[in-house]
Amino acid sequence: MTSYRPLRDGWTVVPANGPAPADLAGQPVPATVPGCVHTDLLAAGLIPDPYLDDNEVRVGWIGRTDWRYQTRFQWRPELPGGQVDLVCAGLDTVATVVVNGEVVGRTANMHRGYRFPVTDLLRPGENSLSVEFASAYRYAEELRDKLGDRPTSYEPEPFNFIR
């Protein structure tokens, strides 16, 4: 028997590293999953609308910041001896998935799904889940520096090193 349990409730997002404004440091912001950090910060009134005026440039720091989405959930084993997988339909883009403090997987491609076995990490009662998103800019720049520059139509951004 296969059962499915969405984990969409109770999420927060917090800047983990990078050029986020000081008033955001360590401040958990309510988050929608699935969603994105821009809409979460906009909904919380923490950034101006990036589609207006030059606001896209003013909030450019968001893409150069690492972000941690986190939630807590209750687990009650329903099928003794059964396999439990954490299924992610899309993680954009460079992410580390952590269950109860243990890394269960790393990703570097938004355009695919992921399935991580977590049976041995879950415990009855409260559990924690976090998805730590590294700055895609920094990731691409590190790959460019490691592999050498390549032609791109996205100058000056090194997005050809992602995905």
Side-chain angles (χ1 to χ4, degrees):
M1 177 177 144
T2 301
S3 68
Y4 168 78
R5 179 176 172 208
L7 295 174
R8 293 191 177 124
D9 298 326
W11 287 89
T12 59
V13 61
V14 63
N17 183 39
D23 60 335
L24 267 179
Q27 175 185 339
V29 175
T32 300
V33 172
C36 86
V37 70
H38 289 80
T39 54
D40 293 331
L41 296 174
L42 185 60
L46 297 170
I47 61 168
D49 188 334
Y51 293 109
L52 295 176
D53 305 320
D54 69 344
N55 290 344
E56 180 180 12
V57 174
R58 293 175 54 212
V59 299
W61 57 268
I62 294 171
R64 296 202 171 271
T65 300
D66 299 341
W67 296 92
R68 180 179 304 113
Y69 277 78
Q70 48 201 10
T71 191
R72 301 189 83 66
F73 63 95
Q74 294 294 315
W75 176 250
R76 200 178 79 239
E78 295 173 13
L79 296 173
Q83 174 69 33
V84 179
D85 291 338
L86 176 63
V87 178
C88 302
L91 299 170
D92 190 8
T93 282
V94 182
T96 302
V97 180
V98 179
V99 173
N100 291 329
E102 298 290 328
V103 173
V104 298
R106 298 180 193 281
T107 72
N109 188 340
M110 166 61 188
H111 302 290
R112 58 162 291 193
Y114 295 91
R115 179 178 293 269
F116 306 109
V118 295
T119 308
D120 296 336
L121 298 176
L122 296 176
R123 51 187 178 248
E126 188 172 80
N127 290 262
S128 66
L129 170 60
S130 70
V131 182
E132 301 169 6
F133 292 95
S135 164
Y137 286 98
R138 191 167 38 259
Y139 175 80
E141 291 164 348
E142 288 169 1
L143 281 177
R144 179 195 59 206
D145 294 347
K146 178 180 176 183
L147 300 172
D149 210 2
R150 305 283 197 278
T152 179
S153 55
Y154 300 108
E155 293 292 342
E157 309 300 343
F159 294 137
N160 55 326
F161 288 93
I162 300 175
R163 300 180 187 112

